[in-house]
Amino acid sequence: MFNFFRKKEKPKKYGTFGAYGMEDLYDFLTEEKILNKAMELKDQPTLGTSFDDFLNKEVVKSPSGEIYFFLWLLWIFPNDLKLTLELFRRRSFYSENDYPKKESLKKVWENHVETMNIMLEREPDNQYYKSYKRNIYWIEYSLFYTEILKNIINLFNTKIFSDLNITGIHKRKGTKIQAETFEATIRARRNYTGFILTFKSPELIDPIKVIIDSENRESFFFNWFSKTYKVAMSKETATIALHKIEGDDDSLLNNTDFIIIIEDMIREYLNNFDSISKRFENDHLKDPINVFFKYALGIPQLNHEIRTQIIHAIELKNGVWGTFSDYN
């Protein structure tokens, strides 16, 4: 009866999520997580755009497509396993034949090509303008797969570290903590307070680095996902104990088979490698080597057959991606 007295709710602002047609990803991330990230990144640029502008304005990189937006999210929310897996699932929504999908993004692309044509009328032999007229799908595909792989490797490395069981009483020698399965080193942070605790192990893909804000090197805490550890140092020993567990558990991390995901990803990339390489030929922005394969070859647990396929693919396209020796 009195509905006309009700206050109209303001429509939700989706900003750049809306510009790329990704409103559902906003809801997937949850407003709480997004607002927390906004506080964390306050006044910090993300690729030249503040996160506040990213949320409140419809920012579009010209030219770009939906996969570029996925890439953007991976830069803003690094090592978020749930988001990483969701974006990887969505990769199959897009193809070279209809990219970008959203009409407004197609219009941006058409305007971009028109601009390149105008510039080529002035400079017909300019390779920069010629390169920029070609479809961007395989460029954004390759960049996206590279960033996804980097995130998956970091998360896999995190899982390996979690399985090391670092607790116990270990030998200490100066700035080093020595144990059967790992070695840790304490180093001061340059130009910052506190120090960095670095864990190395033959089982890890890369060293694990933890920033410690405390000035006290003899007794301190550090967080790792949902766990908090306490470290107590004496002259000859270092005791690492699990202090508490709180918040979300690590079930998704523990239950994810990273090697299967990594190998499936590499197989898909290999299947499209001819198209990727063709697009990157004579491209002025191309790296001297294929960074996706560089990351893949750094995984000790990688299947030998897949490793061989990668090396063979590099050798076949050495005119585009260098020789295998460039990857060592």
Side-chain angles (χ1 to χ4, degrees):
M1 180 178 176
F2 298 106
N3 285 347
F4 56 87
F5 287 118
R6 290 182 183 172
K7 187 177 180 180
K8 287 185 179 180
E9 291 186 11
K10 291 182 179 179
K12 186 184 288 187
K13 285 185 177 181
Y14 285 102
T16 304
F17 285 85
Y20 282 87
M22 300 293 171
E23 293 88 347
D24 60 331
L25 266 178
Y26 185 102
D27 297 328
F28 175 86
L29 281 164
T30 74
E31 190 161 27
E32 180 183 6
K33 180 180 281 190
I34 289 169
L35 293 178
N36 286 339
K37 180 61 69 171
M39 290 295 294
E40 178 189 333
L41 297 178
K42 188 174 176 61
D43 300 325
Q44 293 184 33
T46 54
L47 296 183
T49 302
S50 71
F51 192 55
D52 186 61
D53 283 348
F54 183 86
L55 290 180
N56 296 298
K57 298 178 181 179
E58 294 196 355
V59 181
V60 173
K61 176 185 178 290
S62 176
S64 66
E66 290 86 351
I67 293 177
Y68 184 84
F69 181 78
F70 293 169
L71 190 62
W72 211 338
L73 281 187
L74 290 171
W75 287 324
I76 295 171
F77 296 91
N79 302 322
D80 184 320
L81 179 55
K82 188 177 178 182
L83 175 63
T84 298
L85 294 177
E86 175 62 17
L87 295 180
F88 187 57
R89 182 186 71 82
R90 293 179 181 228
R91 75 203 182 282
S92 60
F93 296 177
Y94 307 95
S95 67
E96 181 183 14
N97 296 329
D98 185 29
Y99 189 80
K101 272 191 172 184
K102 194 176 181 188
E103 287 304 316
S104 57
L105 297 176
K106 287 182 187 293
K107 186 63 178 174
V108 170
W109 172 252
E110 290 166 5
N111 292 339
H112 165 77
V113 172
E114 189 178 332
T115 300
M116 293 301 102
N117 285 333
I118 292 170
M119 300 306 290
L120 280 168
E121 287 177 8
R122 300 174 185 172
E123 301 178 51
D125 297 325
N126 191 301
Q127 293 302 315
Y128 176 92
Y129 301 140
K130 288 181 179 180
S131 174
Y132 251 41
K133 271 186 66 177
R134 292 185 288 167
N135 191 295
I136 56 173
Y137 174 77
W138 290 114
I139 286 182
E140 296 192 350
Y141 173 99
S142 185
L143 289 172
F144 173 67
Y145 267 61
T146 301
E147 195 67 22
I148 282 277
L149 182 61
K150 184 174 77 172
N151 270 14
I152 290 292
I153 290 171
N154 287 339
L155 289 158
F156 182 35
N157 201 44
T158 293
K159 181 179 180 180
I160 295 170
F161 180 68
S162 298
D163 292 341
L164 277 180
N165 186 18
I166 61 173
T167 61
I169 301 174
H170 312 296
K171 292 180 182 178
R172 178 192 180 184
K173 189 174 182 181
T175 60
K176 292 186 177 180
I177 300 171
Q178 296 174 322
E180 288 186 12
T181 57
F182 70 88
E183 179 179 277
T185 306
I186 298 174
R187 292 281 186 270
R189 296 177 69 194
R190 286 185 180 178
N191 305 321
Y192 293 95
T193 58
F195 51 94
I196 297 174
L197 182 63
T198 303
F199 291 88
K200 294 182 179 180
S201 169
E203 297 181 44
L204 291 169
I205 300 171
D206 293 304
I208 293 287
K209 295 185 178 183
V210 183
I211 295 175
I212 312 294
D213 290 327
S214 171
E215 293 287 348
N216 186 352
R217 296 195 187 192
E218 305 306 310
S219 180
F220 56 87
F221 297 90
F222 72 88
N223 299 319
W224 190 254
F225 277 70
S226 60
K227 298 181 179 70
T228 300
Y229 293 92
K230 181 179 180 180
V231 182
M233 311 273 271
S234 68
K235 186 176 180 180
E236 297 182 347
T237 65
T239 302
I240 303 178
L242 181 60
H243 179 65
K244 63 180 178 180
I245 301 175
E246 61 182 6
D248 297 333
D249 63 29
D250 301 335
S251 59
L252 181 59
L253 184 77
N254 293 329
N255 294 327
T256 299
D257 194 325
F258 288 97
I259 283 295
I260 286 180
I261 294 172
I262 287 169
E263 292 183 348
D264 284 348
M265 196 183 308
I266 293 170
R267 287 189 188 97
E268 288 182 24
Y269 194 91
L270 282 166
N271 287 339
N272 291 303
F273 192 52
D274 282 345
S275 297
I276 293 166
S277 298
K278 185 177 180 181
R279 176 58 186 86
F280 275 97
E281 284 178 353
N282 302 318
D283 191 280
H284 70 288
L285 292 177
K286 185 186 74 66
D287 289 308
I289 63 171
N290 185 285
V291 181
F292 178 86
F293 285 153
K294 175 71 173 178
Y295 282 129
L297 290 168
I299 305 170
Q301 298 87 344
L302 192 64
N303 178 288
H304 176 72
E305 183 182 346
I306 293 179
R307 186 181 297 276
T308 302
Q309 289 174 7
I310 291 173
I311 295 169
H312 182 61
I314 291 169
E315 289 172 344
L316 284 176
K317 302 291 183 183
N318 59 46
V320 183
W321 302 109
T323 63
F324 177 61
S325 60
D326 298 324
Y327 290 74
N328 297 319

